[in-house]
Amino acid sequence: MKKILPPKLPLNLPEADFEAVLDYEDPVLEHVLIQDCTIHLDSLRNVEFKNMIFKNVFFEQFSVPNAYFKDVLFDHCQCINAQIDESALKRVEFRQCRMNGISFGDSFLEDVQFNQSMLDLSGFAYAKHKNVRFTSCQMKESDFYENKLKNIQFDECDMSGIRFSNTSLNGVDLRTSTFEKIVVNTQDIKGAIVNREQALGFMQLLGLVVED
């Protein structure tokens, strides 16, 4: 698997007050540390976040359609039901975040890492992934409808009820993750890398009866 690049961040970022440094008329925020605060962003379009860290931030509302994220770390943040649709993310890491119900619909994710985060009921409809890793994440009933996956990794994730409708799993390694149920078209299973127990489950999905 190709190495996934982490965010490129300066060693010492100056801490700033979010409301004081964000210009809503020209919403570009960069080279700052935002921490220990509550943020409300409702339908702010075309915002750019670059070379910055959000740490211990509670996003009371986080709707940023057509946003751009580059070299950004979200560390111990809460952004439940956030809407990051039609956006681009490059070298972004979500570390121990609560992100249940978050939507990345029709977005492009490149060199993005989700580490030890809660992603139940998250939505990635029509998203494109290039060099993306989910590590020790809970992502029950998440939806990857009509996704393009290139070098995507799921390491030790809880994927029960996850949906990959119209999404090819060719080359995707699921062996270390768990799922009681998975929704995927039979033609899209081809090429998926699974363990023996998972293979039996997929055989049942195909309507096969396994007997010794």
Side-chain angles (χ1 to χ4, degrees):
M1 286 290 187
K2 183 177 179 180
K3 182 179 179 181
I4 297 175
L5 300 177
K8 296 181 180 179
L9 296 168
L11 291 178
N12 296 300
L13 284 170
E15 185 175 352
D17 177 83
F18 182 80
E19 292 295 334
V21 294
L22 181 64
D23 181 352
Y24 285 84
E25 297 299 321
D26 182 21
V28 178
L29 195 60
E30 55 187 331
H31 296 105
V32 291
L33 166 64
I34 306 295
Q35 67 176 349
D36 303 322
C37 63
T38 298
I39 290 175
H40 185 98
L41 283 176
D42 187 6
S43 301
L44 180 62
R45 299 188 65 87
N46 303 314
V47 63
E48 296 185 16
F49 299 114
K50 298 184 290 187
N51 301 99
M52 61 174 299
I53 297 174
F54 291 101
K55 185 172 183 179
N56 296 322
V57 173
F58 174 74
F59 289 93
E60 185 179 41
Q61 177 78 20
F62 196 24
S63 175
V64 286
N66 201 32
Y68 179 62
F69 299 81
K70 183 178 180 181
D71 295 310
V72 180
L73 169 63
F74 292 84
D75 186 3
H76 288 81
C77 294
Q78 179 167 312
C79 41
I80 293 174
N81 294 325
Q83 296 177 336
I84 309 177
D85 300 319
E86 301 177 332
S87 298
L89 296 85
K90 184 177 179 67
R91 293 193 300 270
V92 176
E93 180 181 356
F94 297 90
R95 182 185 300 166
Q96 297 188 47
C97 294
R98 293 188 63 191
M99 311 167 64
N100 306 65
I102 195 169
S103 174
F104 292 96
D106 204 21
S107 290
F108 177 62
L109 294 78
E110 181 178 5
D111 290 305
V112 176
Q113 301 180 67
F114 299 86
N115 292 312
Q116 302 179 57
S117 293
M118 303 287 289
L119 285 150
D120 292 344
L121 299 170
S122 55
F124 293 85
Y126 303 103
K128 296 179 181 179
H129 306 254
K130 182 180 179 182
N131 308 331
V132 175
R133 180 189 295 125
F134 296 85
T135 304
S136 300
C137 291
Q138 183 168 306
M139 43 198 319
K140 294 180 180 179
E141 299 188 31
S142 294
D143 189 4
F144 287 74
Y145 180 76
E146 287 202 16
N147 276 215
K148 302 293 184 183
L149 310 179
K150 183 176 181 180
N151 188 28
I152 190 169
Q153 304 172 32
F154 298 95
D155 299 326
E156 299 182 339
C157 294
D158 184 347
M159 304 167 66
S160 298
I162 198 167
R163 293 180 291 277
F164 290 104
S165 303
N166 298 330
T167 297
S168 173
L169 296 181
N170 185 33
V172 178
D173 193 338
L174 303 173
R175 289 176 295 177
T176 64
S177 294
T178 59
F179 46 86
E180 295 176 2
K181 178 184 177 183
I182 187 170
V183 178
V184 60
N185 299 335
T186 53
Q187 66 268 25
D188 291 328
I189 299 173
K190 184 178 180 180
I193 304 170
V194 298
N195 60 38
R196 187 177 300 275
E197 182 179 353
Q198 292 167 342
L200 290 174
F202 280 125
M203 292 175 73
Q204 292 177 346
L205 179 66
L206 292 169
L208 301 178
V209 179
V210 182
E211 295 183 356
D212 294 326

